[in-house]
Amino acid sequence: MTKTDLQGRITYANDTFLRISALVEEETLGRPHNIIRHPQMPRGLYSCLWSTIAAGEEMFAYVKNLATDGAHYWVLAHVTPSITPDGKPCGYHSNRRSPSRSALPVVEQLYARMLRAERGLPANEAARAGVQVLEEALAEAGTTYSGWIWSLEEEGAS
């Protein structure tokens, strides 16, 4: 579990996150959360994530992270805005759990398509290209990203 400020800088990280990410708390707090961003994660997914949570909504997302020791690990992240008592956003909270292993090949296939569309483009254009691939894939499947995630998780549970 981690908490960040509105700019995505880590303000809290629990021991499990630190251990799995091969991080030290003193060197982690105040740093951008993307210190664990795996290069095989599409910009388009992060664009969707940020727009969703900035709008005050929660989002579940499959995320491949890169630990500082070079290892990688997949999580099913649940990211929510943190709200002050007067209703204003003050940061974000992310809980993670292990995703269904049977879902990962499907997720990797979609993310690879997004990455191919993003390749060679400036960051903002890459994010838009990745979002377009994601939206097209979801439209073909007749679902939303959340619906897609839960269908994959349910398949893995059965």
Side-chain angles (χ1 to χ4, degrees):
M1 192 252 304
T2 54
K3 294 181 183 182
T4 69
D5 62 16
L6 291 172
Q7 289 72 44
R9 291 182 297 256
I10 299 171
T11 59
Y12 172 80
N14 71 0
D15 291 340
T16 303
F17 173 83
L18 293 168
R19 182 175 34 80
I20 292 172
S21 300
L23 292 165
V24 177
E25 183 177 38
E26 297 76 29
E27 298 168 2
T28 302
L29 298 180
R31 293 191 60 198
H33 204 288
N34 67 6
I35 60 173
I36 59 167
R37 181 171 187 245
H38 196 285
Q40 293 174 348
M41 279 299 297
R43 289 182 181 275
L45 184 74
Y46 288 114
S47 177
C48 289
L49 174 70
W50 277 104
S51 63
T52 300
I53 61 176
E57 301 172 29
E58 69 179 355
M59 183 168 173
F60 287 87
Y62 289 112
V63 179
K64 184 177 189 178
N65 288 326
L66 181 64
T68 59
D69 63 5
H72 74 273
Y73 58 96
W74 280 95
V75 297
L76 177 56
H78 178 215
V79 186
T80 60
S82 298
I83 307 298
T84 64
D86 61 351
K88 295 181 179 157
C90 61
Y92 303 102
H93 181 166
S94 180
N95 286 311
R96 297 158 191 87
R97 67 182 193 196
S98 294
S100 165
R101 293 292 170 216
S102 64
L104 295 182
V106 178
V107 173
E108 288 176 313
Q109 184 178 40
L110 176 57
Y111 287 6
R113 285 176 49 200
M114 293 171 71
L115 286 166
R116 283 192 298 275
E118 295 175 2
R119 192 173 295 126
L121 297 174
N124 286 339
E125 289 178 39
R128 282 192 294 274
V131 168
Q132 183 175 351
V133 169
L134 177 61
E135 289 174 347
E136 289 170 0
L138 295 172
E140 286 174 23
T143 191
T144 62
Y145 186 74
S146 289
W148 181 67
I149 283 179
W150 296 121
S151 69
L152 292 174
E153 287 298 302
E154 288 172 8
E155 287 175 19
S158 49

